[in-house]
PDB file of all heavy atoms in Angstrom:
ATOM      1  N   ASP A 310      -4.243   5.189  11.641  1.00  0.00           N
ATOM      2  CA  ASP A 310      -3.936   6.511  12.167  1.00  0.00           C
ATOM      3  C   ASP A 310      -5.230   7.291  12.572  1.00  0.00           C
ATOM      4  O   ASP A 310      -5.261   8.029  13.508  1.00  0.00           O
ATOM      5  CB  ASP A 310      -3.297   7.363  11.028  1.00  0.00           C
ATOM      6  CG  ASP A 310      -1.923   6.800  10.646  1.00  0.00           C
ATOM      7  OD1 ASP A 310      -0.936   6.969  11.373  1.00  0.00           O
ATOM      8  OD2 ASP A 310      -1.842   6.101   9.529  1.00  0.00           O
ATOM      9  N   LEU A 311      -6.319   6.986  11.821  1.00  0.00           N
ATOM     10  CA  LEU A 311      -7.556   7.698  11.969  1.00  0.00           C
ATOM     11  C   LEU A 311      -8.724   6.718  11.965  1.00  0.00           C
ATOM     12  O   LEU A 311      -8.680   5.703  11.188  1.00  0.00           O
ATOM     13  CB  LEU A 311      -7.773   8.738  10.832  1.00  0.00           C
ATOM     14  CG  LEU A 311      -6.752   9.882  10.834  1.00  0.00           C
ATOM     15  CD1 LEU A 311      -6.843  10.639   9.420  1.00  0.00           C
ATOM     16  CD2 LEU A 311      -6.932  10.889  11.947  1.00  0.00           C
ATOM     17  N   VAL A 312      -9.745   7.049  12.717  1.00  0.00           N
ATOM     18  CA  VAL A 312     -11.011   6.266  12.795  1.00  0.00           C
ATOM     19  C   VAL A 312     -12.183   7.133  12.666  1.00  0.00           C
ATOM     20  O   VAL A 312     -12.386   8.010  13.569  1.00  0.00           O
ATOM     21  CB  VAL A 312     -11.035   5.500  14.082  1.00  0.00           C
ATOM     22  CG1 VAL A 312     -12.251   4.588  14.134  1.00  0.00           C
ATOM     23  CG2 VAL A 312      -9.765   4.608  14.354  1.00  0.00           C
ATOM     24  N   PRO A 313     -12.913   7.118  11.588  1.00  0.00           N
ATOM     25  CA  PRO A 313     -14.150   7.924  11.490  1.00  0.00           C
ATOM     26  C   PRO A 313     -15.158   7.427  12.497  1.00  0.00           C
ATOM     27  O   PRO A 313     -15.532   6.308  12.481  1.00  0.00           O
ATOM     28  CB  PRO A 313     -14.629   7.671  10.065  1.00  0.00           C
ATOM     29  CG  PRO A 313     -13.481   7.047   9.316  1.00  0.00           C
ATOM     30  CD  PRO A 313     -12.710   6.323  10.303  1.00  0.00           C
ATOM     31  N   VAL A 314     -15.527   8.299  13.413  1.00  0.00           N
ATOM     32  CA  VAL A 314     -16.431   7.880  14.467  1.00  0.00           C
ATOM     33  C   VAL A 314     -17.559   8.920  14.669  1.00  0.00           C
ATOM     34  O   VAL A 314     -17.360  10.051  14.471  1.00  0.00           O
ATOM     35  CB  VAL A 314     -15.760   7.700  15.868  1.00  0.00           C
ATOM     36  CG1 VAL A 314     -14.881   6.458  15.899  1.00  0.00           C
ATOM     37  CG2 VAL A 314     -14.964   8.874  16.238  1.00  0.00           C
ATOM     38  N   GLY A 315     -18.659   8.410  14.984  1.00  0.00           N
ATOM     39  CA  GLY A 315     -19.792   9.349  15.331  1.00  0.00           C
ATOM     40  C   GLY A 315     -19.538   9.755  16.813  1.00  0.00           C
ATOM     41  O   GLY A 315     -18.667   9.212  17.515  1.00  0.00           O
ATOM     42  N   VAL A 316     -20.280  10.699  17.212  1.00  0.00           N
ATOM     43  CA  VAL A 316     -20.130  11.268  18.581  1.00  0.00           C
ATOM     44  C   VAL A 316     -20.237  10.177  19.627  1.00  0.00           C
ATOM     45  O   VAL A 316     -19.492  10.183  20.606  1.00  0.00           O
ATOM     46  CB  VAL A 316     -21.119  12.359  18.839  1.00  0.00           C
ATOM     47  CG1 VAL A 316     -21.012  12.925  20.250  1.00  0.00           C
ATOM     48  CG2 VAL A 316     -20.982  13.518  17.835  1.00  0.00           C
ATOM     49  N   ASP A 317     -21.159   9.217  19.385  1.00  0.00           N
ATOM     50  CA  ASP A 317     -21.411   8.159  20.418  1.00  0.00           C
ATOM     51  C   ASP A 317     -20.283   7.119  20.464  1.00  0.00           C
ATOM     52  O   ASP A 317     -20.320   6.250  21.410  1.00  0.00           O
ATOM     53  CB  ASP A 317     -22.744   7.492  20.204  1.00  0.00           C
ATOM     54  CG  ASP A 317     -22.893   6.830  18.828  1.00  0.00           C
ATOM     55  OD1 ASP A 317     -22.130   7.306  17.896  1.00  0.00           O
ATOM     56  OD2 ASP A 317     -23.575   5.875  18.579  1.00  0.00           O
ATOM     57  N   GLN A 318     -19.421   7.154  19.533  1.00  0.00           N
ATOM     58  CA  GLN A 318     -18.266   6.101  19.498  1.00  0.00           C
ATOM     59  C   GLN A 318     -16.979   6.726  20.030  1.00  0.00           C
ATOM     60  O   GLN A 318     -15.992   6.003  20.132  1.00  0.00           O
ATOM     61  CB  GLN A 318     -18.094   5.609  18.130  1.00  0.00           C
ATOM     62  CG  GLN A 318     -19.199   4.734  17.624  1.00  0.00           C
ATOM     63  CD  GLN A 318     -19.301   3.430  18.334  1.00  0.00           C
ATOM     64  OE1 GLN A 318     -18.404   2.985  18.958  1.00  0.00           O
ATOM     65  NE2 GLN A 318     -20.444   2.797  18.214  1.00  0.00           N
ATOM     66  N   LYS A 319     -16.946   7.965  20.419  1.00  0.00           N
ATOM     67  CA  LYS A 319     -15.661   8.612  20.877  1.00  0.00           C
ATOM     68  C   LYS A 319     -15.175   7.879  22.152  1.00  0.00           C
ATOM     69  O   LYS A 319     -13.972   7.775  22.276  1.00  0.00           O
ATOM     70  CB  LYS A 319     -15.922  10.101  21.159  1.00  0.00           C
ATOM     71  CG  LYS A 319     -16.034  10.887  19.824  1.00  0.00           C
ATOM     72  CD  LYS A 319     -16.317  12.377  20.134  1.00  0.00           C
ATOM     73  CE  LYS A 319     -15.051  13.111  20.552  1.00  0.00           C
ATOM     74  NZ  LYS A 319     -15.344  14.574  20.779  1.00  0.00           N
ATOM     75  N   GLN A 320     -16.033   7.453  22.999  1.00  0.00           N
ATOM     76  CA  GLN A 320     -15.626   6.785  24.226  1.00  0.00           C
ATOM     77  C   GLN A 320     -14.840   5.510  23.950  1.00  0.00           C
ATOM     78  O   GLN A 320     -13.821   5.175  24.518  1.00  0.00           O
ATOM     79  CB  GLN A 320     -16.770   6.528  25.119  1.00  0.00           C
ATOM     80  CG  GLN A 320     -16.366   6.009  26.540  1.00  0.00           C
ATOM     81  CD  GLN A 320     -17.624   5.619  27.332  1.00  0.00           C
ATOM     82  OE1 GLN A 320     -18.642   5.182  26.815  1.00  0.00           O
ATOM     83  NE2 GLN A 320     -17.502   5.836  28.671  1.00  0.00           N
ATOM     84  N   HIS A 321     -15.361   4.758  22.888  1.00  0.00           N
ATOM     85  CA  HIS A 321     -14.650   3.516  22.488  1.00  0.00           C
ATOM     86  C   HIS A 321     -13.286   3.806  21.899  1.00  0.00           C
ATOM     87  O   HIS A 321     -12.343   3.032  22.132  1.00  0.00           O
ATOM     88  CB  HIS A 321     -15.485   2.722  21.545  1.00  0.00           C
ATOM     89  CG  HIS A 321     -16.701   2.041  22.182  1.00  0.00           C
ATOM     90  ND1 HIS A 321     -17.862   1.816  21.543  1.00  0.00           N
ATOM     91  CD2 HIS A 321     -16.866   1.602  23.466  1.00  0.00           C
ATOM     92  CE1 HIS A 321     -18.747   1.232  22.364  1.00  0.00           C
ATOM     93  NE2 HIS A 321     -18.163   1.106  23.475  1.00  0.00           N
ATOM     94  N   LEU A 322     -13.183   4.859  21.131  1.00  0.00           N
ATOM     95  CA  LEU A 322     -11.901   5.179  20.513  1.00  0.00           C
ATOM     96  C   LEU A 322     -10.901   5.603  21.589  1.00  0.00           C
ATOM     97  O   LEU A 322      -9.725   5.234  21.517  1.00  0.00           O
ATOM     98  CB  LEU A 322     -12.086   6.311  19.503  1.00  0.00           C
ATOM     99  CG  LEU A 322     -10.794   6.738  18.774  1.00  0.00           C
ATOM    100  CD1 LEU A 322     -10.157   5.506  18.044  1.00  0.00           C
ATOM    101  CD2 LEU A 322     -10.973   7.890  17.851  1.00  0.00           C
ATOM    102  N   GLU A 323     -11.449   6.291  22.606  1.00  0.00           N
ATOM    103  CA  GLU A 323     -10.546   6.715  23.683  1.00  0.00           C
ATOM    104  C   GLU A 323     -10.017   5.519  24.414  1.00  0.00           C
ATOM    105  O   GLU A 323      -8.831   5.449  24.836  1.00  0.00           O
ATOM    106  CB  GLU A 323     -11.329   7.618  24.711  1.00  0.00           C
ATOM    107  CG  GLU A 323     -10.491   8.454  25.617  1.00  0.00           C
ATOM    108  CD  GLU A 323      -9.433   9.337  24.843  1.00  0.00           C
ATOM    109  OE1 GLU A 323      -9.757   9.996  23.848  1.00  0.00           O
ATOM    110  OE2 GLU A 323      -8.253   9.296  25.333  1.00  0.00           O
ATOM    111  N   LEU A 324     -10.825   4.470  24.604  1.00  0.00           N
ATOM    112  CA  LEU A 324     -10.422   3.294  25.199  1.00  0.00           C
ATOM    113  C   LEU A 324      -9.306   2.606  24.349  1.00  0.00           C
ATOM    114  O   LEU A 324      -8.310   2.165  24.875  1.00  0.00           O
ATOM    115  CB  LEU A 324     -11.555   2.255  25.435  1.00  0.00           C
ATOM    116  CG  LEU A 324     -11.191   0.934  26.032  1.00  0.00           C
ATOM    117  CD1 LEU A 324     -10.729   1.076  27.431  1.00  0.00           C
ATOM    118  CD2 LEU A 324     -12.320  -0.037  25.943  1.00  0.00           C
ATOM    119  N   ALA A 325      -9.529   2.539  23.105  1.00  0.00           N
ATOM    120  CA  ALA A 325      -8.507   1.969  22.136  1.00  0.00           C
ATOM    121  C   ALA A 325      -7.150   2.728  22.315  1.00  0.00           C
ATOM    122  O   ALA A 325      -6.091   2.090  22.298  1.00  0.00           O
ATOM    123  CB  ALA A 325      -8.975   2.035  20.707  1.00  0.00           C
ATOM    124  N   ARG A 326      -7.229   4.038  22.432  1.00  0.00           N
ATOM    125  CA  ARG A 326      -6.015   4.832  22.597  1.00  0.00           C
ATOM    126  C   ARG A 326      -5.293   4.446  23.910  1.00  0.00           C
ATOM    127  O   ARG A 326      -4.141   4.229  24.027  1.00  0.00           O
ATOM    128  CB  ARG A 326      -6.313   6.320  22.607  1.00  0.00           C
ATOM    129  CG  ARG A 326      -6.739   6.858  21.231  1.00  0.00           C
ATOM    130  CD  ARG A 326      -7.292   8.264  21.352  1.00  0.00           C
ATOM    131  NE  ARG A 326      -6.384   9.187  21.975  1.00  0.00           N
ATOM    132  CZ  ARG A 326      -5.416   9.859  21.417  1.00  0.00           C
ATOM    133  NH1 ARG A 326      -5.181   9.754  20.101  1.00  0.00           N
ATOM    134  NH2 ARG A 326      -4.679  10.681  22.092  1.00  0.00           N
ATOM    135  N   ASN A 327      -6.130   4.298  24.984  1.00  0.00           N
ATOM    136  CA  ASN A 327      -5.583   3.961  26.299  1.00  0.00           C
ATOM    137  C   ASN A 327      -4.925   2.572  26.242  1.00  0.00           C
ATOM    138  O   ASN A 327      -3.822   2.361  26.872  1.00  0.00           O
ATOM    139  CB  ASN A 327      -6.668   4.024  27.380  1.00  0.00           C
ATOM    140  CG  ASN A 327      -7.194   5.399  27.704  1.00  0.00           C
ATOM    141  OD1 ASN A 327      -6.539   6.310  27.327  1.00  0.00           O
ATOM    142  ND2 ASN A 327      -8.392   5.448  28.245  1.00  0.00           N
ATOM    143  N   ILE A 328      -5.582   1.631  25.604  1.00  0.00           N
ATOM    144  CA  ILE A 328      -5.073   0.256  25.564  1.00  0.00           C
ATOM    145  C   ILE A 328      -3.757   0.269  24.818  1.00  0.00           C
ATOM    146  O   ILE A 328      -2.778  -0.378  25.231  1.00  0.00           O
ATOM    147  CB  ILE A 328      -6.109  -0.679  24.869  1.00  0.00           C
ATOM    148  CG1 ILE A 328      -7.317  -0.874  25.720  1.00  0.00           C
ATOM    149  CG2 ILE A 328      -5.441  -2.040  24.526  1.00  0.00           C
ATOM    150  CD1 ILE A 328      -8.482  -1.616  25.028  1.00  0.00           C
ATOM    151  N   ALA A 329      -3.720   0.961  23.681  1.00  0.00           N
ATOM    152  CA  ALA A 329      -2.535   1.031  22.840  1.00  0.00           C
ATOM    153  C   ALA A 329      -1.357   1.685  23.624  1.00  0.00           C
ATOM    154  O   ALA A 329      -0.166   1.161  23.598  1.00  0.00           O
ATOM    155  CB  ALA A 329      -2.765   1.853  21.511  1.00  0.00           C
ATOM    156  N   GLN A 330      -1.635   2.737  24.395  1.00  0.00           N
ATOM    157  CA  GLN A 330      -0.600   3.348  25.163  1.00  0.00           C
ATOM    158  C   GLN A 330      -0.060   2.473  26.277  1.00  0.00           C
ATOM    159  O   GLN A 330       1.131   2.372  26.490  1.00  0.00           O
ATOM    160  CB  GLN A 330      -1.132   4.646  25.801  1.00  0.00           C
ATOM    161  CG  GLN A 330      -1.284   5.829  24.693  1.00  0.00           C
ATOM    162  CD  GLN A 330      -2.148   6.968  25.187  1.00  0.00           C
ATOM    163  OE1 GLN A 330      -2.964   6.804  26.170  1.00  0.00           O
ATOM    164  NE2 GLN A 330      -2.047   8.113  24.519  1.00  0.00           N
TER     165      GLN A 330
END
Side-chain angles (χ1 to χ4, degrees):
D310 297 284
L311 295 166
V312 182
V314 288
V316 177
D317 59 333
Q318 291 290 343
K319 285 177 77 175
Q320 190 185 30
H321 286 150
L322 181 60
E323 199 54 45
L324 178 67
R326 288 169 56 86
N327 292 343
I328 293 170
Q330 286 164 341

